[in-house]
Amino acid sequence: QLRVFVAVAERQHVTRAAEALSMAQSAASAAVVALETGYGIRLFNRVGRGIELTEAGRRFLMEARAVLVRAGAAERMLAELSGLVQGSLSVWASQTIASYWLPRHLVAFRLAHPGIEIRLTIGNTAQVAAAVHEGLAEIGFVEGAVEDGLLSSATVATDQLVLVVAAGHPWAASAELTLRDAAEQGEWVLREPGSGTRSVFEAALAAAGIPLSRLRITLELPSNEAVRAAVESGMGATVISASVAVSGLEAGLLHRVALALPEREFHVLRHHERHPSGAAEALLSLIAATTPRPDPVG
């Protein structure tokens, strides 16, 4: 009943919750009704053909999630005792990481531990950090800086940012361009605030003494692919991961402008106060063993 309640509350829809839980819609509805009837309290308002949480439902949602997190922790401990034969691991990752860097590591982990189910959820850096903080994810992978005293952050890889424009853009013929010139002269397509890609770009502007207000931002889009497509269509310029831009560059739809931009780091986030599962430790060990490390300086 708790799993059904949380699924319905998060989706505000009984049918979609039932589909996510692989159960009949009638069974999901019955579970919610049984929970409300058993304790004599209304958790949802039925508004037209939709539903919404009551105040009691909103308060109970936090406790229900906490119970499910503890149940998940117990399940993970049993999986550890069984030697990673079975169990699950909840992972959240920001878009660039989830789409371009993490999949090969998840495949390798799945081949090594076929009995462990990995549940991957994609969000921006702020959403991933919040999921780890709240216990919805055991580990999270992000591109941007995270300020949270309860979360630990460790570097797992690096990524190169590039400035790209459409092949027919005036900057495509520029032999040299400074960051200040680019910021003041161009029109920009950027990810939404809170994304790792945007946060790193904003930090580079701040380091150069360029306020974000100097940029003429024509579009803010919620995915890397949408940003790339808009720039390929001639909308303006953007700064994105080289791994996101490579398909457009190879197809001749994008041009990489010669501008030195900082590398950024991919980080893994974990909660200081939660015991790491064997599955999480195994995944991170696999990543560490297969990710090249930069040569030491000196």
Side-chain angles (χ1 to χ4, degrees):
Q1 290 175 352
L2 288 180
R3 291 187 188 280
V4 172
F5 165 72
V6 171
V8 173
E10 290 177 343
R11 293 164 178 81
Q12 300 286 288
H13 200 282
V14 175
T15 300
R16 287 198 288 270
E19 291 172 350
L21 296 172
S22 300
M23 64 190 304
Q25 185 270 340
S26 57
S29 296
V32 172
V33 171
L35 190 61
E36 291 181 318
T37 303
Y39 291 92
I41 191 167
R42 181 65 64 90
L43 300 172
F44 294 98
N45 289 318
R46 279 70 176 178
V47 181
R49 301 183 65 180
I51 61 172
E52 62 183 22
L53 284 167
T54 63
E55 177 60 28
R58 282 191 290 271
R59 294 176 62 184
F60 180 57
L61 178 59
M62 297 177 60
E63 295 300 323
R65 280 174 168 161
V67 170
L68 294 179
V69 167
R70 293 300 303 157
E75 181 185 22
R76 290 193 297 272
M77 178 169 287
L78 290 176
E80 289 182 46
L81 295 174
S82 67
L84 293 180
V85 174
Q86 61 183 3
S88 63
L89 175 63
S90 177
V91 178
W92 281 53
S94 52
Q95 285 192 22
T96 302
I97 291 175
S99 299
Y100 298 95
W101 177 80
L102 187 58
R104 69 180 183 274
H105 298 299
L106 296 185
V107 169
F109 179 86
R110 181 68 174 176
L111 292 174
H113 306 287
I116 304 297
E117 175 195 3
I118 293 186
R119 298 190 293 265
L120 175 63
T121 303
I122 301 175
N124 63 31
T125 291
Q127 292 166 338
V128 174
V132 178
H133 182 107
E134 295 169 11
L136 302 178
E138 184 174 356
I139 55 177
F141 294 96
V142 297
E143 308 140 33
V146 172
E147 298 295 334
D148 188 323
L150 289 178
L151 301 184
S152 65
S153 176
T155 302
V156 290
T158 58
D159 181 44
Q160 180 62 55
L161 292 180
V162 294
L163 170 61
V164 293
V165 294
H169 192 280
W171 290 356
S174 298
E176 186 176 347
L177 190 71
T178 67
L179 184 58
R180 184 171 296 277
D181 288 341
E184 295 178 351
Q185 297 173 13
E187 294 185 341
W188 291 85
V189 180
L190 298 179
R191 283 285 306 278
E192 80 286 0
S195 78
T197 299
R198 177 158 174 169
S199 296
V200 174
F201 181 43
E202 290 179 353
L205 291 173
I210 304 169
L212 184 64
S213 59
R214 301 291 287 271
L215 267 67
R216 286 177 289 165
I217 302 173
T218 57
L219 278 178
E220 290 182 342
L221 298 172
S223 76
N224 295 317
E225 288 70 24
V227 169
R228 184 183 63 206
V231 174
E232 288 175 349
S233 299
M235 179 59 68
T238 195
V239 168
I240 54 176
S241 167
S243 58
V244 176
V246 65
S247 61
L249 293 170
E250 291 178 346
L253 299 174
L254 291 177
H255 175 81
R256 178 175 176 177
V257 180
L259 178 65
L261 289 167
E263 281 191 340
R264 62 176 173 177
E265 297 178 335
F266 291 165
H267 300 269
V268 60
L269 303 179
R270 298 202 290 188
H271 200 288
H272 282 302
E273 299 177 353
R274 296 192 177 99
H275 176 71
S277 69
E281 295 286 7
L283 175 59
L284 295 178
S285 294
L286 183 151
I287 290 172
T290 57
T291 300
R293 294 295 180 184
D295 294 331
V297 177

